[in-house]
Amino acid sequence: MTDENTRGMLYLCATPIGNLEDITLRVLRTLREVDLIAAEDTRNTIKLLNHFNIHTPMTSYHDHNRIEKAYQLVEKMKEGKNIALVTDAGTPGISDPGEDIVRICYEEGIEVTSLPGAAACVTALTQSGLATRRFAFEAFLPRDKKERAAVLSDLSDEPRTIIIYEAPHHLIQTLSDLSETLGASRKLVACRELTKRHEEKVQSTIGEYLKYCEAHEPRGEYVLVIEGKLREAALREQQREWEKISLADHMALYEQQGIDRKEAMRRVAKDRGVSRRDVYQGLLGE
């Protein structure tokens, strides 16, 4: 039985999603010090390693060998080997087979640590201008028609900001499906080629961006950041309910609670989705 103190570790190493300067010093040091690098595509990873003059041995770990190879790598770690896992771009475990080897490591008593760095979903979300406090990450939509329809149905009522990855040759179909299910008027920010020389962000609606892509051939990798639905819909519904009473009665609801007139006016404006000036002028007109 292997002594747990002599076991190796799995290091999840985030690599750049475009600009090579986005790799961390800690990741570079780890890639040099581990015994083996497990890469989603060794042809892509060798370019990164060569750029930083790293000569650590590599092995492939991808979607087609994700379970069998995971157990082989775990055996190496039980023997004391330290292994770094890298994906083609970004953070391992996010929309790639990394989640399986992490699960198996925990089942087999292997320690796992994650070295933070680039992730396309977070990069796109933070620069989208849409709500960031809560979000639903869907990665790539399923290709199977029934499964895809089920996911889209769920997303149609999703109140959180939605993040979807898409390849250029599937983008128009995905936008068409989103337009039909979520609505053509839903706000969308399309991020293309993030951190690369030709990075592009387009603020639009699903319908308008679909028309644009039908006229301009999509190129590069896309992250779609889409406005959630129910939060906005519920807010508008609440605003319509407040509009059923007069501004004076609305003000009275707050003033009767001991709230001063200035604060009451601010709350009424927020409830109705208007400015305080609109409330002031409306009260003068009543």
Side-chain angles (χ1 to χ4, degrees), residues 88-107:
D88 282 349
T91 301
I94 301 295
S95 188
D96 76 6
E99 62 181 304
D100 289 298
I101 190 171
V102 170
R103 172 179 52 79
I104 292 170
C105 279
Y106 277 106
E107 292 172 355

Side-chain angles (χ1 to χ4, degrees), residues 199-214:
E199 175 179 292
E200 177 183 69
K201 284 87 64 181
V202 178
Q203 293 182 319
S204 186
T205 64
I206 294 174
E208 286 301 315
Y209 196 61
L210 172 59
K211 292 178 182 176
Y212 174 83
C213 290
E214 288 174 334

Side-chain angles (χ1 to χ4, degrees), residues 8-278:
M9 286 179 58
L10 179 68
Y11 296 82
L12 306 177
C13 294
T15 55
I17 57 176
N19 193 315
L20 293 180
E21 293 181 358
D22 291 334
I23 198 165
T24 70
L25 295 175
R26 185 182 175 205
V27 167
L28 290 175
R29 176 177 58 79
T30 300
L31 293 177
R32 290 189 175 98
E33 292 179 353
V34 294
D35 300 291
L36 183 66
I37 297 172
E40 184 176 9
D41 190 331
T42 55
R43 295 168 299 180
N44 288 332
T45 301
I46 192 63
K47 298 174 185 177
L48 177 72
L49 299 185
N50 286 342
H51 181 83
F52 290 105
N53 196 29
I54 297 172
H55 305 288
T56 306
M58 275 195 300
T59 188
S60 63
Y61 177 74
H62 48 72
D63 195 53
H64 300 294
N65 67 359
R66 58 198 301 168
I67 302 300
E68 179 184 2
K69 190 59 173 285
Y71 281 106
Q72 293 175 13
L73 294 174
V74 163
E75 287 304 313
K76 292 182 181 296
M77 286 182 277
K78 285 181 178 180
E79 296 169 0
K81 303 293 186 182
N82 290 315
I83 296 178
L85 178 69
V86 298
T87 183
D88 282 349
T91 301
I94 301 295
S95 188
D96 76 6
E99 62 181 304
D100 289 298
I101 190 171
V102 170
R103 172 179 52 79
I104 292 170
C105 279
Y106 277 106
E107 292 172 355
E108 298 294 324
I110 298 297
E111 188 175 351
V112 179
T113 190
S114 183
L115 282 59
C121 55
V122 174
T123 303
L125 174 66
T126 54
Q127 64 183 332
S128 70
L130 299 179
T132 60
R133 190 175 70 86
R134 301 169 68 238
F135 61 93
F137 175 58
E138 282 296 327
F140 292 92
L141 292 177
R143 299 258 69 89
D144 177 81
K145 289 185 178 180
K146 288 186 178 180
E147 188 179 355
R148 186 182 182 90
V151 170
L152 286 168
S153 178
D154 289 341
L155 291 179
S156 67
D157 289 329
E158 174 57 63
R160 297 168 294 179
T161 301
I162 302 164
I163 304 173
I164 292 174
Y165 290 166
E166 194 50 275
H169 52 288
H170 291 307
L171 182 63
I172 290 176
Q173 182 61 58
T174 291
L175 288 170
S176 178
D177 292 343
L178 290 170
S179 178
E180 182 178 341
T181 309
L182 276 62
S185 62
R186 186 77 69 90
K187 288 183 181 178
L188 168 144
V189 178
C191 300
R192 184 178 72 87
E193 295 292 87
L194 285 170
T195 78
K196 298 178 183 178
R197 179 178 300 176
H198 300 293
E199 175 179 292
E200 177 183 69
K201 284 87 64 181
V202 178
Q203 293 182 319
S204 186
T205 64
I206 294 174
E208 286 301 315
Y209 196 61
L210 172 59
K211 292 178 182 176
Y212 174 83
C213 290
E214 288 174 334
H216 303 82
E217 181 183 1
R219 295 179 181 275
E221 299 300 318
Y222 289 80
V223 182
L224 306 178
V225 187
I226 306 165
E227 180 183 46
K229 178 185 178 183
L230 290 185
R231 184 176 296 276
E232 292 299 322
L235 179 61
R236 294 187 188 102
E237 182 62 30
Q238 290 173 358
Q239 291 169 353
R240 286 193 289 269
E241 288 298 313
W242 283 117
E243 290 168 0
K244 293 178 181 179
I245 66 173
S246 68
L247 281 169
D249 288 342
H250 198 163
M251 286 285 293
L253 289 174
Y254 288 119
E255 291 178 323
Q256 289 168 4
Q257 300 173 36
I259 297 171
D260 65 54
R261 189 166 181 79
K262 183 178 180 181
E263 175 62 16
M265 193 174 295
R266 187 190 70 78
R267 295 191 184 190
V268 169
K270 182 178 179 181
D271 289 343
R272 292 175 176 253
V274 297
S275 69
R276 278 185 290 180
R277 177 184 291 275
D278 289 337

